[in-house]
Amino acid sequence: MSENALLLAPTLGNMERISLGNTVFEGQNNVYLLDGDTVALVDTGIATPDVRADLSEGLSAYGLSFADVDELFLTHWHHDHAGLAGAVQAESDATVYVHEADAPMVAGESDAVDRFHALQNRKFDEWGIPEDPRAELEAYLEHHSDLGGQPADVTVVDDGDTFELGGLTLTAVHLPGHAAGLTAYLVDDGSEAFVGDAILPKYTPNVGGADVRVDRPLERYVESLGRLVDLDLDRAYPGHRDPIDDPTGRALTILDHHRERTRRVVDVLAEHGPCDAWTVSAHLFGDLEEIHILHGPGEAYAHLDHLAAAGVVEHIDEGYALADPEVDVAALFPDRGRPN
């Protein structure tokens, strides 16, 4: 077995985690195998030959192959989560579930994909990405355009839908922000969940750049973090890296991170005057390369948009100008406190 196809024993009895190698994007992807009367996968990994081999080897450790998969539950449309869905379905005729907001992207619907790219280009203009970094980003995206793999026939999922998997019940929980259709799947009594990139154990999931289709991205994401806090999970199985043993604490930490980043955005505008998203990003993150040329200004935009909706900044020809320098940033975020 490839050293990347690590199978680690979780607390969930009939589930195994297959850790996939991935040098693109965030890396260290997880695919979760639910092996009972029904063979199901949560996410699939990116569509590269090496990752396909990792997934194949991971399944073969349990006497399974792509052809044995009955159902696929995708947390969202990003290539590192849905890229191999079409390949698995082609060999197994598995049912591929994904939230309706992301279904057209996984299905490869040309109109939806074209609209996405057109919107992305408009955002690049709006954010003020300079010519050279933009050319670098566009070349990077073009070079990786095939990582989404072959399209899949999809079955749409909505918030609250439940699925019976041979004694195991999954319940869909829509958590938009990082992606428009990002969906977690609660397990049985709701104490554990597969959360995709809603929260991650090391990095803070990008908002604003990761899916330009999300309207009011930071607001949506803050709402999703609040919903995760309310769920009060005992354990979360993320799309990357190791399980999260304190999901509520992690969600609150990410909320704190965004509260502090919003303060920094206000400080940038106060010190440097009207700025577009690219300029704010430069003050926050410095020089960027490859995919971070998308994520940096996208993140800055998400915070500027959040401030604009609250009347703290105004969008003018030069970018964003501070309208209320005395703003209480904490008041723009829910005060959930910390669990006792």
Side-chain angles (χ1 to χ4, degrees), residues 36 54 109 112 119 128 180 203 211 241 248 283 286 332-333 335:
D54 282 347
E109 294 179 11
L119 178 58
Y203 296 105
D211 190 345
R241 302 178 184 270
T248 298
H283 287 291
L332 305 180
F333 292 83
D335 181 17

Side-chain angles (χ1 to χ4, degrees), residues 4-16:
N4 288 319
L6 303 174
L7 296 115
L8 305 177
T11 61
L12 198 59
N14 63 340
M15 184 272 278
E16 298 293 342

Side-chain angles (χ1 to χ4, degrees), residues 246-296:
D246 180 15
T248 298
R250 183 60 184 152
L252 289 170
T253 295
I254 294 173
L255 188 60
D256 288 343
H257 161 87
H258 282 293
R259 188 181 292 112
E260 178 57 30
R261 179 155 289 169
T262 301
R263 289 193 184 97
R264 292 179 62 199
V265 170
V266 169
D267 290 343
V268 168
L269 294 178
E271 182 176 353
H272 300 282
C275 298
D276 58 23
W278 176 260
T279 303
V280 172
S281 171
H283 287 291
L284 294 176
F285 310 118
D287 293 335
L288 301 172
E289 60 182 15
E290 297 185 335
I291 193 64
H292 301 292
I293 299 170
L294 169 64
H295 288 168

Side-chain angles (χ1 to χ4, degrees), residues 163-196:
F163 306 88
E164 299 297 329
L165 302 175
L168 191 71
T169 301
L170 297 185
T171 302
V173 180
H174 186 210
L175 299 172
H178 177 69
L182 199 149
T183 297
Y185 296 94
L186 291 178
V187 181
D188 286 344
D189 64 358
S191 64
E192 298 183 315
F194 303 102
V195 297

Side-chain angles (χ1 to χ4, degrees), residues 4 23 53 66 89 92 94 102 109 124 132 156 177 180 182 184 213 228-229 250 258 261 279 295 306 312-313:
N4 288 319
T23 59
F66 285 9
Q89 187 182 60
S92 65
D102 285 2
E109 294 179 11
F124 294 169
D132 288 347
V156 299
L182 199 149
R213 302 173 307 146
L228 279 169
V229 170
R250 183 60 184 152
H258 282 293
R261 179 155 289 169
T279 303
H295 288 168
H306 195 58
V312 177
V313 305

Side-chain angles (χ1 to χ4, degrees), residues 25 29 32 50 55 61 76 80 103 115 122-123 138 171 179 194 200 238 240 250 255 291 334:
F25 308 132
N29 276 89
Y32 298 98
D50 288 347
L55 181 56
H76 58 300
D80 52 338
R115 285 195 301 270
R122 290 198 298 273
K123 291 296 185 183
E138 290 172 344
T171 302
F194 303 102
L200 297 172
H240 302 268
R250 183 60 184 152
L255 188 60
I291 193 64

Side-chain angles (χ1 to χ4, degrees), residues 18 20-22 24-32 41-48 51 55 71-88 96-98 102 105-106 147-150 152 154 178-179 181-185 194-201 205-206 210 237-241 295:
I18 304 175
L20 305 177
N22 172 16
V24 184
F25 308 132
E26 202 273 335
Q28 298 187 34
N29 276 89
N30 295 319
V31 169
Y32 298 98
L41 299 180
V42 179
D43 286 343
T44 67
I46 204 163
T48 65
V51 172
L55 181 56
E71 295 180 298
L72 277 171
F73 293 89
L74 301 179
T75 59
H76 58 300
W77 70 272
H78 288 160
H79 298 340
D80 52 338
H81 296 263
L84 287 171
V88 173
V96 176
Y97 295 103
V98 64
D102 285 2
M105 301 298 289
V106 177
L147 298 182
Q150 64 193 85
V154 298
H178 177 69
L182 199 149
T183 297
Y185 296 94
F194 303 102
V195 297
D197 288 357
I199 53 174
L200 297 172
N206 180 261
Y237 300 101
H240 302 268
R241 302 178 184 270
H295 288 168

